[in-house]
Amino acid sequence: MYSNIILPRQWSRIACFCRLSTIEGQKLPQSGKSSDGISPPPRIPRGPTDILQALAATVGPDPTAAHYKYHDDPYLIPLSNYRKRAYALSAEAGRKAAAWIRDEHASLFNTREWDPPSKLKTPYYNADPIIDAFEPKPIYNEESKVTEEDLKYTINNALLDDSIKIFQLLGGIENISEETKLALLQFLCFYNEKEPDSMEWLEERWFSANVRERQLATWKLGGLADKIFASIEPKTPEAYCAVIQGMAKHYQAERAHALSQEAIEKGIPLSTEVFNSLLACVGFLREGTALRAEALKGLLTQMGEQGLSPNEETLTACLRSISSWGGGKMLQELALQVVAEFKQLGIQPGLSAYYYLLCLFCKERGPRIDILSGILVDLENRENLDAKEPTDTNFFITAMGVCSDHLQDINMAERVHALLMKGDNYKLVGDAYKESIYYRHLVTVACRHAPFERTTELLDTLVPNVYVPEPSVMEEIIKTLEVAGAGERLAQAWSQLVVFGIAKRVRLVERLLSAMSSTYEYQTEEVKGKMRDAAADILKFGKIAENEQNAKDLRTPVQKLSANAVSNIVELCSDVKDTADANWDAVSEGIQRLKQSDATGVPSRPQALADVALRAATAGKLGIAASAVQYLAECGFEEAVPASIQALGAVLNRPQEEVETLLEKQRADLTKAVHPSALALVDAYYLAKTGAPAREADSSTSSDSDSESSSDDE
Amino acid sequence: MSVFIKHYRPCGLVSGFNNKIWRYNSTTADVATSKNEEDEEFRVLDILKKRDRQQRRVARRADVQPDRADRMAVDQNWGNVWPGPKSFHPSSVPLPLRQGYVPRGQAPPGKKANAELMKIPNFLHLTPPVIKAQCEALKPFCTEWPKLLNSEEAIEKHYPVEIISSDYCHASPSIRNPLARIVTLRIKLSTLNLDKHAKDKFIRLVGDRYDRETDLVTITADRCPVKKQNLDYVNYLLTACYHESWNVEEWEKDKTEDDMEYYDWDKNASKKSLVNWYLRTKNENRELTDEEYVAFDISEIPNGEEYKNAVSNYLNDGESEVTVKNYAKSVRKLLGLPEAKVVT
């Protein structure tokens, strides 16, 4: 029960020995040092968590470990995006279930039932001090007796549905005080009468796919907020501020502006925040850039007339409006003008302001404008970046997108990344969706423009614990690996494909195979072996997937590898000297698959298969050689003839000319002269030469059986 | 998929494991066929369910990644990998550890699936570099040590009172622990400013809270519910005892020689006889009062001091070989007798 027992020794000092009762040391000197060399110096003031934070700052990131919300165990570390999401949300589902039980059976947690006789129940909390967040949440329904205190509680804890219910139970507008009415109005306006996502469920917020917010007028006209506002008499400035901000926030721009004009006419003072929200939706009032810009300036001057000084949010709101009106020279100039003017007032643009500037200047199909470097210089000089607005989390993903698509500059990307990793700036990455897009941009730009060593270093730290590449990024990575000729990493890439759950993407696998076959010849023997194993495994994996499809009767059919890919596998696997090597099985299976037209299309490099036939013949795998040549002949490739001659030459250990003269003879003569398994090669030769098998229709079956018997021989 | 697995676990352990699985499958298949044959002849009562247990299949996942210990860089910062206390986990610790009892001549079991390693508390989170880094991080919160308190003696001299209390930290909804209220105060009696009488009285007041051997007075308080209250209480007790011991009550004067808790040679018959004997050896025949006896300066008697000490020790410390011998020696010296010859 008691994990740590600490025995502090406190020394209380005795001033003079004869008088014990006055213990000195309570009167502390004010200098940093001990005043007389004996009494303790004054305590350095610190917050309750300062020590913990100082200790936590000594721990850096560990690239080999998964996020700490997952179990540190090979069986439980998620390696694909799907698993990451599933594991984290499962854990949260457990927490939610526990919270549900706590709320449903609250009496089990906050009352104590005494033993008979009277079955007395008394309130009891086992927690000391009581932690409000862990207490059962009250449940309100039609029967519950509520007071205004309950309403205040729900408003303070952002329980919107409950607060509306209590409001109704209390009997509507008449029965609550003005103060609570205002609080409720502000609450309703902020959330637009929609229950907000709970702050308690971090994983749900992290993984919820935040689609970009649509700019639609979602304000509930004639809703409860409007009714409460109408009932407030006389209308206070706070009520006006709340309603105007709520309308502006939910894009009811015209009414918001009308109300603001009304308030100004009545001489009701409005706050800076009201003007900020009006500025953010000023574009909805007018059409056309020039008129909108004019309206924006008009609002700003109105603000000045009211005697309000702008703040950082004002700048952000202006830039937000400007950036949402499209692009163009004029708007860009306007934006710069606004920023310059605010800088004169001593207001530095925040992350959101920079985000809108990037949106405005770095259009996908626009001219390349490098405003990011200036922004980075400014941000790098700041002590720490604080999140002030929800849009602040858009900055890093946009900046990285600009580095990747617009500037295509790896140095800039690395600067952005360094800034994100500085201090605790990583909290500005947003959510899982934004994080993965951020890393997609980073990895893409690194693959395209960074030196290979830096790319691999980056990949090693990011993949798979921080970021799991999507198929498109994986393709980019494979391309980079191919250019660099990194065979070992290509072989590794296959296992990564499997682990990341994207091994069934045929396009990706084909890309990988062609990369492997084009880099194969430059590798060392050891790496070659690994690549062969990977290639054989690809074939096996496809087979398993097919079996699974047949067994489970899946809706989406498993795509088949193309003939090109299969011939790549065959080519890779056949490069073995040892006749007993397991890879020969993969070769024969690959050729079998080609012959049964289990693969789409025909190979683009028939010479590769011809080489395979020769190698197989040299290794004594006559069946494989025969079926390879036969496949070539069936497909009508010219390479079939020389291939069959070469293979026969290798089998019979004779020079080519001799083989050619031998093949001139009748087949019947050959049957006696040549080993039956070699006959299949001869058949293939005739097939290629004449377009028809030399023997009758049964030849194909016999050749099949021949090949089987030959493989049995070995 | 086996290739893939092998690739992922380069140690070769898995391939061996794989073989075992294959063998295992084939044996179970044999068992199944033989079972069919048996069924026709005779049904066996299988109490221990050996057969079922054998046939249970082990579901194994194929896409398990290798230990992350294999991927760790040699120059990594270990503090980042193992930042806090936790039970041992083989896949995160890149050390070839072995632990467990085995018969002689065998190697102890390796780190995987080793309960022995998980049972013992480890200190992997407190490696010397980590301790150094944490100390550096905590330095800004520390004040300078007072310069004159540079030795244990100085500390004891300037801060004689020692307060001992415990704080408890445990995983439970409540942070309270009833044992945290107990406060103990310790002080060396010699550091208190007491005269002979006050010291005697103080010792009598504190009773068994005083340890004669270490000279420590230990006062423990646990009667109040909160630590602060108990702390105030022990301070009060010490103060009260101190001042009380300085008080001299009227009745204390009634204390007679019989009430003395120790032997005071000056007030006893031994001194009287010595003085009388001394006077007689000088041929003076005086009658002395009790006060004169007490005030008599024995330093003029040769070897008188030694005799006094020997007698006091003999009576105060109890009879032992040393005290008896000392007594004998001092008596011989006093009377001018030769040293005792040790007969062996």
Side-chain angles (χ1 to χ4, degrees), chain A residues 419-439:
Chain A
L419 184 64
L420 181 67
M421 290 299 164
K422 197 176 109 183
D424 61 346
N425 288 350
Y426 201 78
K427 68 193 174 203
L428 291 164
V429 82
D431 51 30
Y433 178 68
K434 280 179 188 145
E435 188 190 37
S436 87
I437 293 179
Y438 173 84
Y439 282 117

Side-chain angles (χ1 to χ4, degrees), chain B residues 4 20 22 31-32 42 45-46 53 55 63 79 104 125 127 159-160 176 201 204 220 224 237 267 281 309 324 331:
Chain B
F4 163 68
K20 242 181 236 164
W22 286 120
V31 168
F42 205 73
L45 178 63
D46 189 8
R53 210 181 297 159
Q55 283 174 347
D63 57 345
R104 273 176 67 85
H125 59 294
T127 51
Y159 293 92
R176 316 280 173 222
K201 195 169 176 187
R204 284 164 187 268
T220 306
C224 304
L237 284 181
K267 288 177 185 168
T281 53
N309 289 339
V324 170
V331 169

Side-chain angles (χ1 to χ4, degrees), chain A residues 1-3 8-11 13 18 20 37-42 60 62 64-65 72-75 83 128 495, chain B residues 4 8 61 63 68 80 86 89 91-92 143-144 146 148 158-159 161-163 165 169-170 175-177 192 242:
Chain A
M1 179 180 171
Y2 311 123
S3 57
R9 284 180 133 215
Q10 302 176 350
W11 300 89
R13 191 188 162 216
C18 54
L20 268 159
I38 294 168
S39 50
D62 175 16
T64 61
D72 182 14
D73 186 293
Y75 282 86
R83 284 225 162 103
D128 190 14
S495 44
Chain B
F4 163 68
Y8 253 72
R61 263 177 55 190
D63 57 345
R68 70 195 185 92
N80 298 344
K86 65 173 182 176
H89 199 290
S91 78
S92 316
T143 53
E144 207 181 307
L148 294 181
H158 292 291
Y159 293 92
V161 178
E162 198 181 334
I163 302 283
S165 63
C169 176
H170 40 94
I175 62 168
R176 316 280 173 222
N177 189 315
L192 291 176
Y242 177 79

Side-chain angles (χ1 to χ4, degrees), chain A residues 304-326:
Chain A
E305 282 164 13
Q306 293 276 314
L308 296 172
S309 52
N311 55 16
E312 202 176 290
E313 280 82 48
T314 317
L315 175 58
T316 312
C318 292
L319 291 176
R320 179 179 167 186
S321 281
I322 294 170
S323 75
S324 64
W325 299 339

Side-chain angles (χ1 to χ4, degrees), chain A residues 162-179:
Chain A
D162 282 342
S163 69
I164 291 177
K165 185 168 272 171
I166 293 172
F167 175 74
Q168 285 158 355
L169 286 173
L170 281 172
I173 295 159
E174 293 80 33
N175 295 344
I176 54 176
S177 67
E178 287 295 313
E179 199 184 325

